[in-house]
Amino acid sequence: MVLPGDEESLISKFVHDARRFIHKYYQIADRAPLQLYYAGLVFAPTTAIIRNEFKQELPSLIGLLPRVEERWGAQLQALEDSLGSVLSVAFSPDGRLLASGSGDSTVRLWDTATGALQQTLKYYSESICLVVFSPDGRLLASVSKDKTVRLWDTVTNTLQQTLEGHFDSVYSVVFSPDGRLLASSSGDKTVRLWNTATGDLKEILEANTIITKLSFSQDCSYLTTNIGNLVVQSGQVKAASNCSPVLFIVQEQWIILNGKDFLWLPPEFRPNCLANTCDTLALGHASGQVSFIKFQS
């Protein structure tokens, strides 16, 4: 006998399992819906409710099914639509978009709720080294080995500015806290400050070495770098803090949570690049895939 509470629990479990199934196989369902009865069921965990409810639909042509996980894991989705290695990933401030820069000279925007590819931005001739969102999420900066920085409007998915002036590959880029300035560092051993609204070059800071890390002070009076602080002469702008707590980092083979080794990464899951929001980690892999791992608070 199934009591009302038990029935509600069964329905809740079925809905949860169905949501995991949809998240996992959204992309293939969008391209080839009938593959839900093939790839979807074949690669679903052995204890997945959907797999067991529809096991009679498993393809009879497969005599030996591949070994799969017993239960749904932490990974929500693997995003794949790139012809080259994913070199950089970044979440928008509201967490609704993920930008990825690839070795195939494209920038891609993904819907993090569904895993759907929203837009492919193609204006480069070289691989994309880095992608960064502005604090309000309306602009996306991407840098490449072609010595340029490009600013994209994430609402219209159009190119807004192309910042030219570096004489070597651009290695790092960062927005000021108010989004009015952009700093870029290059193999030409300079840091350049740009007006994000007009694209005008405001200042060149001579570093005498290659800067690989950049961040603005809150009042924009200096830049913190891997070699120390660089003073900004072009004026100070008062800005509000826009920080998110960092729960985890990736170091060598481990995801470190609250200072302790938490999750060991097999070789195929070790990232070339990563980005995080408060509770979700995005890993970019040499295979061209992007993996999401979401943590519960």
Side-chain angles (χ1 to χ4, degrees), residues 235-279:
Q236 301 180 9
V237 181
K238 187 64 178 176
S241 176
N242 188 28
C243 299
S244 299
V246 178
L247 300 181
F248 40 75
I249 61 173
V250 174
Q251 191 174 74
E252 295 181 350
Q253 303 172 2
W254 287 89
I255 292 176
I256 300 174
L257 182 65
N258 297 326
K260 297 181 180 179
D261 291 348
F262 176 76
L263 185 65
W264 179 79
L265 297 172
E268 66 271 20
F269 282 98
R270 293 169 195 168
N272 282 356
C273 53
L274 59 92
N276 69 277
T277 61
C278 290
D279 62 356

Side-chain angles (χ1 to χ4, degrees), residues 24-285:
K24 183 70 173 179
Y25 301 110
Y26 177 87
Q27 291 185 80
I28 191 62
D30 188 50
R31 298 179 184 179
L34 292 179
Q35 278 295 311
L36 288 177
Y37 294 96
Y38 281 75
L41 294 178
V42 166
F43 292 105
T46 56
T47 61
I49 297 173
I50 292 292
R51 179 184 176 121
N52 287 290
E53 285 291 324
F54 295 93
K55 59 184 177 183
Q56 70 276 7
E57 302 293 342
L58 284 165
S60 58
L61 291 176
I62 301 178
L64 179 64
L65 294 173
R67 185 177 181 179
V68 296
E69 297 293 330
E70 183 180 357
R71 296 179 177 85
W72 294 112
Q75 185 190 85
L76 293 178
Q77 295 167 322
L79 311 181
E80 187 173 21
D81 193 63
S82 174
L83 298 178
S85 297
V86 177
L87 303 176
S88 179
V89 287
F91 283 104
S92 61
D94 61 8
R96 295 181 181 180
L97 285 177
L98 181 84
S100 62
S102 174
D104 66 358
S105 308
T106 63
V107 175
R108 288 175 169 82
L109 296 177
W110 309 85
D111 185 319
T112 59
T114 64
L117 176 64
Q118 285 203 341
Q119 191 74 22
T120 300
L121 310 175
K122 299 180 180 179
Y123 276 87
Y124 283 103
S125 58
E126 300 284 348
S127 60
I128 309 301
C129 307
L130 187 66
V131 286
V132 177
F133 280 96
S134 63
D136 63 5
R138 290 188 60 89
L139 290 178
L140 176 72
S142 60
V143 302
S144 169
K145 292 181 179 179
D146 71 358
K147 309 172 187 177
T148 68
V149 179
R150 284 178 167 83
L151 296 179
W152 308 87
D153 186 315
T154 61
V155 177
T156 62
N157 295 323
T158 56
L159 179 64
Q160 180 169 305
Q161 304 284 350
T162 299
L163 310 180
E164 298 179 291
H166 282 297
F167 299 106
D168 206 333
S169 298
V170 180
Y171 290 119
S172 185
V173 67
V174 65
F175 285 95
S176 62
D178 65 354
R180 296 180 183 179
L181 292 176
L182 185 85
S184 60
S185 66
S186 165
D188 63 13
K189 300 180 181 181
T190 68
V191 174
R192 295 171 188 255
L193 299 179
W194 313 86
N195 183 312
T196 57
T198 65
D200 292 338
L201 178 63
K202 293 180 66 68
E203 188 174 348
I204 300 176
L205 305 177
E206 299 289 344
N208 298 319
T209 188
I210 296 176
I211 300 295
T212 57
K213 294 181 180 179
L214 287 172
S215 63
F216 274 96
S217 64
Q218 281 299 304
D219 63 1
C220 300
S221 62
Y222 64 89
L223 285 161
T224 300
T225 78
N226 54 294
I227 63 167
N229 295 337
L230 295 178
V231 177
V232 175
Q233 302 293 339
S234 56
Q236 301 180 9
V237 181
K238 187 64 178 176
S241 176
N242 188 28
C243 299
S244 299
V246 178
L247 300 181
F248 40 75
I249 61 173
V250 174
Q251 191 174 74
E252 295 181 350
Q253 303 172 2
W254 287 89
I255 292 176
I256 300 174
L257 182 65
N258 297 326
K260 297 181 180 179
D261 291 348
F262 176 76
L263 185 65
W264 179 79
L265 297 172
E268 66 271 20
F269 282 98
R270 293 169 195 168
N272 282 356
C273 53
L274 59 92
N276 69 277
T277 61
C278 290
D279 62 356
T280 305
L281 183 67
L283 306 175
H285 305 293

